Amino acid sequence: PGPRRRWIRRRPPEEDERTGALVRDTRSEDAMRRVVLALDWTPNTTHSGLYVAKERGYFEQEGLDVKLVSPHVTGYKITPINLLDAGEADFALGTSEAIYGYSATSPKPKLQAVASVMARDISRIVTLKEDGIDRPAKLDGQYYASYASRFEGVVVKKLIQNDGGKGTFIECVAEDNDTWNMFLERESSACWVLLHWEGVEASMKGIELNMFALDDYGLGYTFLEVIFARTEKLEEDPDLAESFLRACRKGYTEAAKDPAAAAEMFMTAVAKEYKDHPVTLDVELVRRSQEIISQYFLDEDGVWGRFDRRCVDRNIDWLSDNGLLTRLIDSCSPNVGEGSSSGEPEGWGSDERIPREELDSRRTFTNRYLDNC
């Protein structure tokens, strides 16, 4: 399939003997609303709630025939946000950074985040214990494996500075965004990982890591994994968003309460979904990963998806205070294999800054559709 293909193949209803309580929607296939969600990465346990919703028939109960599109199919050549912006996906997964970029050129946001996949930050910046870099300040002069994402370089710089360092690290972009292997192959001294994936893999391989949480060093920036939709589509059809999120909430809530079953359903669903482009999954890694991430899906009230307004506003305030809300692309080194020690994004200190008041968190990160479902 090419990058411009719209992924809307229908899947016929199936019986699942493992889940006797499953109730499939009985409406005809022709009546089902076809929906495409673009994933941010190769299927992993971050997405488990979506696959649980598919396996349990929660989307079908809402009258939705949902296709989950993985970027590995096209070799990561097109981002989920690009697919969404081009109208080739109805929803997309990604980090909160995309909201700021797409909101920067218009007084009315082009995209809105409609749900938060995890209730709190599950990411860490890591180093190898054997290297002796046991605090961020020691990253001065070291290589950092980067995704070249919008704010990444400056976040790392501020982390180092807040620990007493100068922030003069060297940012080097990994091919195919494979920062983890770049790190493991000792081509960098640090990288940004997720506790439930690379963190679990490291544990399984006996690799000891130093882990630096942004919040521990006074950074007001929080990694948020969110579900996006186009603002105009949300306004045209709010019922679709509510139906979709209602099924997502059921799937993620179930994954949070029964990690073992969620892991098995996830692996079963992924095997069915990508027969033409198989995804290799380490069974033990998936099971251990699910045990960890399931603890992050629900907020303190046991509810999935809601944005914590204080967290979102703190993020925007921090980005504004540090001059990162600009109309230009913020990346220290966008080219694979190239390093930069400046730590300054393009547009830093320029006249292209976005006034803080232009980013209303209630418009860009909305709980409206979850509250109504």
Side-chain angles (χ1 to χ4, degrees), residues 4-79:
R4 286 299 185 191
R5 178 178 177 182
R6 182 170 172 80
W7 292 69
I8 54 176
R9 185 174 72 247
R10 294 175 179 171
R11 189 187 77 171
E14 299 176 344
E15 293 293 331
D16 190 334
E17 296 179 357
R18 289 184 303 101
T19 53
L22 175 63
V23 178
R24 293 285 183 186
D25 194 287
T26 58
R27 70 191 79 195
S28 70
E29 184 176 317
D30 288 340
M32 301 290 279
R33 174 74 178 273
R34 292 175 291 181
V35 174
V36 176
L37 180 140
L39 300 178
D40 58 328
W41 202 250
T42 305
N44 60 74
T45 51
T46 301
H47 314 132
S48 58
L50 300 169
Y51 287 99
V52 168
K54 281 181 70 74
E55 284 296 286
R56 289 294 199 188
Y58 296 146
F59 290 122
E60 291 181 27
Q61 291 171 17
E62 296 293 337
L64 305 178
D65 176 22
V66 174
K67 178 68 180 180
L68 305 178
V69 181
S70 169
H72 85 279
V73 173
T74 58
Y76 303 94
K77 294 178 181 178
I78 300 181
T79 69

Side-chain angles (χ1 to χ4, degrees), residues 36-51 68-71 78-84 89-98 111-118 223-229 244-245 248 252 274 297 304 307:
V36 176
L37 180 140
L39 300 178
D40 58 328
W41 202 250
T42 305
N44 60 74
T45 51
T46 301
H47 314 132
S48 58
L50 300 169
Y51 287 99
L68 305 178
V69 181
S70 169
I78 300 181
T79 69
I81 300 302
N82 290 150
L83 289 175
L84 185 64
D90 302 287
F91 299 92
L93 270 175
T95 64
S96 56
E97 292 183 5
L111 301 180
Q112 286 181 287
V114 294
S116 180
V117 176
M118 288 166 278
F223 172 86
L224 294 175
E225 183 85 6
V226 303
I227 296 177
F228 297 102
F244 178 77
L245 292 175
C248 290
Y252 274 105
Y274 302 102
F297 286 148
W304 176 82
F307 290 107

Side-chain angles (χ1 to χ4, degrees), residues 139-204:
L139 284 172
D140 272 334
Q142 301 293 327
Y143 280 87
Y144 168 80
S146 172
Y147 296 101
S149 59
R150 188 172 178 86
F151 308 128
E152 185 178 7
V154 176
V155 169
V156 175
K157 176 179 180 178
K158 292 296 182 182
L159 173 71
I160 296 170
Q161 291 177 335
N162 284 10
D163 190 43
K166 296 178 180 178
T168 55
F169 70 101
I170 303 167
E171 184 177 10
C172 196
V173 181
E175 186 173 1
D176 295 328
N177 281 334
D178 195 358
T179 61
W180 179 238
N181 278 322
M182 186 180 195
F183 170 73
L184 293 182
E185 290 169 6
R186 311 303 291 269
E187 295 177 19
S188 72
S189 298
C191 66
W192 205 328
V193 305
L194 298 174
L195 292 177
H196 67 287
W197 202 255
E198 292 91 353
V200 171
E201 182 181 337
S203 177
M204 290 174 62

Side-chain angles (χ1 to χ4, degrees), residues 104 323-330 345-356 358:
L324 292 174
L325 294 182
T326 77
R327 301 187 195 281
L328 303 179
I329 296 173
D330 293 341
E346 298 174 23
W348 178 278
S350 75
D351 294 332
E352 293 293 323
R353 289 191 183 184
I354 305 168
R356 170 64 178 87
E358 284 190 19

